Amino acid sequence: MHHLALICRDVEETIRFYQDVLGFPLVELVENRDYAGSSHFFFDIGNRNLLGFFDFPGHDHPDFSETVGAVQHLALSTSAEEFAAARARLDDAGIDYLGPDRGIDNSLYIRDPNGVGIEFYCEELGRFEGEPLLSS
């Protein structure tokens, strides 16, 4: 995947959350070439993948809803060390999450300020619950 592009309500709040809380560096911020006054920006989420956002000032953005066409969640593969560090950052920031307490000790789930679900998944890329899904 080169990048996933999502929509945000507030550029500054989204940048603070992804960069300062989650630790994903902002690597680009430009004006959206298709919509004057709109921003297009990217975070480095690791493994040479980018997470992009657009904002659309002046548009009404309803609250997140789990429906067809919406993003249910984005799962990010982490090492055990990265998983522990992410959990500590969330605890330090006072951000609620679901998981490991649900009996799933290798996942934790949060919602970003835009309602996007994010899973920190302590599993190698291409595997699910220890089973390979992709050939090497």
Side-chain angles (χ1 to χ4, degrees):
M1 171 178 78
H2 183 274
H3 72 276
L4 177 68
L6 303 172
I7 298 172
C8 72
R9 292 179 204 264
D10 183 293
V11 173
E12 290 178 4
E13 178 183 40
T14 301
I15 290 172
R16 277 193 306 272
F17 182 79
Y18 280 91
Q19 184 166 256
D20 299 344
V21 175
L22 298 187
F24 299 130
L26 179 71
V27 294
E28 184 71 62
L29 172 61
V30 296
E31 185 174 38
N32 177 0
R33 64 180 174 227
D34 300 322
Y35 186 87
S38 168
S39 299
H40 189 34
F41 53 102
F42 296 92
F43 298 96
D44 176 355
I45 60 171
N47 295 309
R48 302 188 52 81
N49 291 298
L50 300 166
L51 180 59
F53 283 91
F54 290 98
D55 74 323
F56 294 103
H59 284 226
D60 181 34
H61 296 292
D63 289 337
F64 168 79
S65 140
E66 197 165 30
T67 186
V68 173
V71 174
Q72 205 282 331
H73 72 275
L74 170 65
L76 303 172
S77 174
T78 67
S79 67
E81 296 80 17
E82 291 165 335
F83 186 84
R87 189 172 184 179
R89 282 194 306 274
L90 295 171
D91 287 340
D92 290 347
I95 296 173
D96 292 330
Y97 51 84
L98 295 174
D101 58 316
R102 298 185 315 151
I104 304 169
D105 62 356
N106 62 345
S107 290
L108 64 87
Y109 298 85
I110 60 172
R111 291 236 175 250
D112 82 353
N114 308 294
V116 175
I118 299 177
E119 174 187 9
F120 291 92
Y121 186 38
C122 189
E123 178 65 274
E124 292 178 42
L125 289 172
R127 299 179 77 82
F128 182 73
E129 299 302 314
E131 296 296 320
L133 298 181
L134 301 174
S135 58
S136 298

